[in-house]
Amino acid sequence: RLKTDQMLFTAPISLWKIIVGKYLAMVAILFGVLCVFSLYPLIMSTAGTIPFGETYIAVFGFFLFGAACIAIGLFISSLTDNIVIAAVLTFGALLISFLVNGLTSFISVEGNLITKILSAFAMSTRLDNLLNGIIDLQSILYFITVIILCLFLTFMVLEKRRWSVASSSMKKGSF
């Protein structure tokens, strides 16, 4: 609304670097919070035994899940100019990704094509294995794929907006 995106579109740095920089800044905040959170098992180990391997695999799972949620939010915020709409849509998308398991069991117990398609969006099932301390390569690759896909889609949306702004200003120019 304030046209700050035009400043980014005309910056001497590539759009891809801007997107990755913004994403990494948000992931750094998440990483800082999880580093503080990672100290708690060390403190609690003074009072008893803690399964460190399973605990830190769960923290790694939270990190991947949070990084994927941030990427989804970044993509959705690139689709709209309003911050509130982006926040509500991101919340809705993440809520639906958690409710997909219940929806698929409600649609069909045995499973059909619709439930298989919907289960591809279920982030909670991928997170469950990591939270239980199981290193699941499929889950890790799923979260990394969601991150890369959302960052790529964000780039494509902003690149389209960049060229539409450039072409509309060229039509209004004095030639």
Side-chain angles (χ1 to χ4, degrees):
R1 202 169 46 190
L2 298 175
K3 305 296 183 198
T4 56
D5 57 345
Q6 291 178 1
M7 181 180 66
L8 289 175
F9 293 153
T10 59
I13 190 168
S14 72
L15 190 58
W16 185 249
K17 289 181 182 178
I18 293 170
I19 292 168
V20 170
K22 185 174 183 176
Y23 175 73
L24 289 178
M26 290 185 283
V27 169
I29 293 170
L30 173 69
F31 184 74
V33 170
L34 287 179
C35 283
V36 172
F37 182 73
S38 296
L39 295 175
Y40 293 139
L42 295 173
I43 295 168
M44 290 175 29
S45 68
T46 59
T49 59
I50 302 291
F52 287 109
E54 295 166 354
T55 303
Y56 287 113
I57 290 171
V59 171
F60 178 67
F62 274 125
F63 176 75
L64 286 177
F65 174 72
C69 289
I70 288 170
I72 291 170
L74 185 65
F75 168 63
I76 291 175
S77 72
S78 72
L79 295 174
T80 180
D81 292 333
N82 194 337
I83 299 170
V84 176
I85 293 173
V88 169
L89 289 176
T90 302
F91 177 77
L94 295 176
L95 180 66
I96 288 171
S97 75
F98 266 97
L99 297 177
V100 165
N101 287 338
L103 291 173
T104 55
S105 65
F106 183 71
I107 292 172
S108 173
V109 178
E110 301 94 33
N112 55 19
L113 181 64
I114 295 172
T115 58
K116 288 180 183 177
I117 292 171
L118 286 176
S119 66
F121 297 104
M123 292 177 65
S124 62
T125 57
R126 292 356 185 260
L127 182 62
D128 285 341
N129 287 337
L130 293 170
L131 291 182
N132 290 329
I134 301 168
I135 298 176
D136 186 15
L137 189 60
Q138 260 186 335
S139 299
I140 293 170
L141 288 176
Y142 176 81
F143 287 125
I144 291 172
T145 303
V146 167
I147 291 166
I148 291 171
L149 180 67
C150 287
L151 291 179
F152 175 74
L153 291 174
T154 302
F155 174 77
M156 296 306 290
V157 167
L158 292 179
E159 188 70 19
K160 180 183 180 292
R161 189 179 300 162
R162 171 191 249 177
W163 285 107
S164 69
V165 167
S167 67
S168 68
S169 65
M170 287 176 72
K171 290 177 186 174
K172 294 177 185 175
S174 58
F175 285 105

